[in-house]
Amino acid sequence: MTADPDKVFQQNGNDGNARLMRSATYAAVGVALILIAIKLFAYFATNSVAMLSTLVDSLLDLVASFINLVAVRHSLVPADRDHRFGHGKAEALAGLFQSAIITGSSVFLLFQAGERLLNPKPLAAESIGIIVMVVSIGLTIGLVVYQRFVIRRTRSVAISADSLHYVGDVLINGGVIAALILSSYFQWHYADGVFGILIALVLIYSAWQIMRASFADLMDEELGDEDRETIKAIVLKQPGVLGIHDLRTRRSGQQVFMQMHIDMDGRISLRDAHTISDAVEARLMAEYPEAEPIIHQDPIFVENEAENRSGDD
């Protein structure tokens, strides 16, 4: 029977991470709803395709953020009998779904902006549009700052994906302001279509970045070189460990899985070898609280222990 998502991460301080992740998803949904309301008003007031593009983007943000909310809650459910490695990949699946939605809508925006570029039209009530965009930028920056804080604490793939397209929103909203100013004060009516196309291209690029990060998680891509070197250094600091090899790592949502072989003096007792392995595991989890290390002990027979401490894979 699957556990309640609200009763997760009760060990190693991860319950705090779970609360942060959930709060970030709620904040994203709330901001998206506010942005949709004010941009809808601005679009009807201005008749700007650039404004339409940022309205559609905010609708996508709402869908993506709601998907994230559901996916994050599911990914935080601890491992059960049917999912021994937990539910962390739900975050990556949500990221793929987001990228597909964003890509499809961006293609639609390209056609709309292309039509406006071929048939430019004067805009109306540009000042209203500019005010709405300034408010949108302020709200979005506030959300992104909070998301970045949560990402630093949790390393969440889903929230990273969500934050990525909100960062793009800041640029998009700035582009809409530029289009409105150029059309209103400089009578360059092509600006609306040009910036609409640029916004669509930014969205497509954001979708590609989200997709790439999601595939890295789903395909069990290794942790970065910096993390791998940190893991090796932590293991080799433990007295009694002579070397480490066959290190394999992957990330699944909040969890990091590590598998490795460590070399120890073959003359020590099984009890001592087990004690050393437990100490290595404790060191790793102190640095990576979300980790699940699997350690295999290899006996070696050496004359000079100092000459054999290495970090070869």
Side-chain angles (χ1 to χ4, degrees):
M1 181 177 177
T2 303
D4 185 339
D6 288 320
K7 296 180 180 178
V8 297
F9 285 114
Q10 298 301 313
Q11 299 177 6
N12 300 317
N14 283 332
D15 54 333
N17 284 358
R19 286 194 297 270
L20 280 174
M21 291 171 64
R22 285 195 295 268
S23 69
T25 59
Y26 297 149
V29 170
V31 169
L33 286 170
I34 295 172
L35 294 180
I36 288 170
I38 62 177
K39 288 179 182 180
L40 184 62
F41 167 74
Y43 168 63
F44 283 118
T46 63
N47 191 35
S48 165
V49 72
M51 183 65 72
L52 173 63
S53 66
T54 189
L55 171 60
V56 171
D57 181 49
S58 291
L59 288 167
L60 292 175
D61 289 343
L62 177 61
V63 173
S65 295
F66 183 75
I67 292 170
N68 265 357
L69 189 154
V70 175
V72 165
R73 285 178 62 84
H74 187 69
S75 71
L76 293 173
V77 175
D80 54 34
R81 188 172 67 176
D82 295 325
H83 305 87
R84 296 292 190 181
F85 292 96
H87 302 76
K89 290 190 184 295
E91 289 193 45
L93 291 173
L96 285 181
F97 192 70
Q98 287 182 56
S99 63
I101 293 176
I102 293 171
T103 300
S105 299
S106 299
V107 172
F108 165 76
L109 289 176
L110 280 174
F111 282 106
Q112 292 293 312
E115 191 277 332
R116 183 58 62 90
L117 194 61
L118 294 174
N119 302 290
K121 300 177 182 178
L123 304 180
E126 293 91 341
S127 58
I128 293 177
I130 292 172
I131 292 171
V132 167
M133 287 298 95
V134 170
V135 173
S136 298
I137 288 173
L139 288 172
T140 306
I141 288 176
L143 175 62
V144 168
V145 169
Y146 182 62
Q147 286 177 324
R148 292 297 183 185
F149 166 72
V150 174
I151 292 166
R152 285 196 300 270
R153 289 283 301 273
T154 67
R155 304 182 187 182
S156 168
V157 173
I159 294 175
S160 294
D162 213 25
S163 180
L164 189 61
H165 58 76
Y166 278 110
V167 170
D169 287 354
V170 175
L171 301 176
I172 290 169
N173 294 334
V176 174
I177 291 175
L180 292 171
I181 291 175
L182 289 172
S183 178
S184 175
Y185 298 104
F186 297 95
Q187 305 303 309
W188 189 45
H189 301 308
Y190 289 102
D192 193 32
V194 169
F195 279 94
I197 291 174
L198 292 176
I199 289 168
L201 293 176
V202 169
L203 288 174
I204 290 173
Y205 178 69
S206 296
W208 163 249
Q209 288 183 298
I210 294 170
M211 185 181 298
R212 184 176 179 277
S214 299
F215 268 120
D217 202 348
L218 290 171
M219 298 302 293
D220 294 332
E221 185 175 295
E222 283 280 348
L223 299 185
D225 291 339
E226 183 178 349
D227 280 319
R228 287 175 57 82
E229 291 303 319
T230 298
I231 291 169
K232 292 177 186 178
I234 290 171
V235 172
L236 292 173
K237 283 181 181 179
Q238 175 60 37
V241 174
L242 306 182
I244 173 175
H245 58 278
D246 292 338
L247 172 63
R248 293 188 291 178
T249 60
R250 66 183 178 92
R251 181 179 292 278
S252 178
Q254 284 296 285
Q255 285 189 288
V256 173
F257 295 94
M258 307 172 182
Q259 299 180 30
M260 68 198 73
H261 289 231
I262 60 173
D263 298 326
M264 291 182 284
D265 191 334
R267 294 167 295 185
I268 65 176
S269 67
L270 177 60
R271 181 188 297 275
D272 290 341
H274 183 72
T275 299
I276 293 171
S277 293
D278 283 348
V280 169
E281 183 175 335
R283 285 175 178 266
L284 289 170
M285 294 186 68
E287 180 69 22
Y288 297 91
E290 70 280 14
E292 185 173 316
I294 300 176
I295 301 171
H296 180 81
Q297 303 95 17
D298 285 340
I300 62 174
F301 297 91
V302 295
E303 293 296 330
N304 188 343
E305 177 179 306
E307 293 179 356
N308 287 275
R309 296 179 67 86
S310 64
D312 298 334
D313 277 346

